[in-house]
């Protein structure tokens, strides 16, 4: 059953930036870890071509939301639809194959494999030729090209984040789920990562971006949702949220 979300009206409104209808439609997700409820009825939508951000504090349920979309967790109730198809019974690997690709928090690169081997793993769901995508990823992340034979464990934090994103791109995402790409990175690298996120979007990939860095996320996104202890507390155009007193106080440290 739909649970009310406080604050803003919950509508499946399409994006102000145009494009098709919702490519991702999340409805009333309730997710438990054992006896503990992490999501209390989360609804959100992402239209083709958008960057949508989901911001919130530690423990708000951001990663839980992404893991449920990816099929790694199954909801108690509620639904996830991708390109109109319900994902409830679709295995996680098939969700990846359909184009929903998650770049997990903490990056998840294989430390003992080289950069090149990590990239190859990104293409494992595909049996077509991925040379062009590999080339494109290395053009987006030139630092990786210089380090192809290096073990991923020897990369800096920022480089590991780049590798995780490049690897995700090799799975040819239609919808890229990014879980806190700025975590633990120096401001300059954060700028680089976010400008690459923009480039990835500009070349046609729809993005759902989870961030604690609300400032950067609201700068790059078209629309935003604020998640507070497992509930959507606010939603709207990113610029509108960035200007709201509530968001400025609670998430931008202003006022
Ligand atoms: N495997 C788990 N077992 C039990 N509880 C969990 C598990 N994973 C997450 N939780 C709980 O679910 C809630 C939401 O966690 P989640 O990881 O989704 O938050 P988050 O918004 O991603 O936080 P962060 O910004 O710290 O990554 C938290 O209260 C967390 O303690
Ligand atoms: Mg998280």
């Amino acid at each position: 059953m739909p649970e009310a979300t406080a604050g803003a009206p919950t509508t499946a409104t399409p994006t102000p930036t145009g494009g098709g209808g919702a490519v991702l439609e999340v409805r009333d997700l309730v997710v438990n870890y054992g006896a503990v409820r992490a999501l209390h009825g989360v609804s959100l939508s992402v239209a083709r071509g958008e960057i949508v951000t989901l911001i919130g504090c530690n423990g708000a349920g951001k990663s839980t939301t992404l893991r449920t979309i990816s099929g790694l967790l199954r909801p108690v109730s509620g639904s996830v639809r991708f390109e109109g198809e319900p994902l409830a019974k679709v295995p996680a690997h098939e969700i990846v194959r359909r184009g929903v690709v998650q770049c997990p928090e903490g990056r998840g690169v294989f430390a003992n494999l080289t950069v090149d081997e990590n990239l190859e793993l990104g293409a494992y769901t595909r049996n077509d030729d991925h040379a062009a995508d590999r080339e494109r990823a290395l053009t987006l992340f030139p630092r990786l090209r210089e380090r192809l034979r290096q073990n991923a464990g020897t990369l800096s934090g920022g480089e590991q984040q780049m590798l995780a994103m490049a690897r995700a791109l090799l799975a040819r995402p239609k919808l890229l789920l990014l879980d806190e790409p700025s975590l633990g990175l120096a401001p300059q690298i954060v700028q680089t990562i976010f400008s690459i996120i923009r480039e990835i979007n500009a070349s046609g990939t729809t993005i759902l971006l989870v961030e604690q860095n609300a400032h950067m996320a609201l700068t790059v996104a078209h629309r935003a949702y604020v998640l507070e202890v497992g509930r959507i507390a606010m939603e709207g155009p990113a610029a509108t949220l960035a200007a709201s007193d509530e968001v400025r106080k609670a998430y931008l440290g202003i006022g």
Side-chain angles (χ1 to χ4, degrees), residues 91-111:
H93 63 86
E94 171 63 17
I95 293 176
V96 175
R97 213 194 51 76
R98 289 187 189 185
V100 180
V101 181
Q102 186 174 349
C103 194
E105 187 181 335
R107 300 167 195 133
V109 300
F110 295 94

Side-chain angles (χ1 to χ4, degrees), residues 57-64 67 105 179-180 183 210 212:
C57 302
N58 283 124
K62 305 182 297 297
S63 298
T64 302
R67 288 201 292 264
E105 187 181 335
D179 197 347
E180 301 213 34
L183 192 69
V210 155
Q212 274 190 61

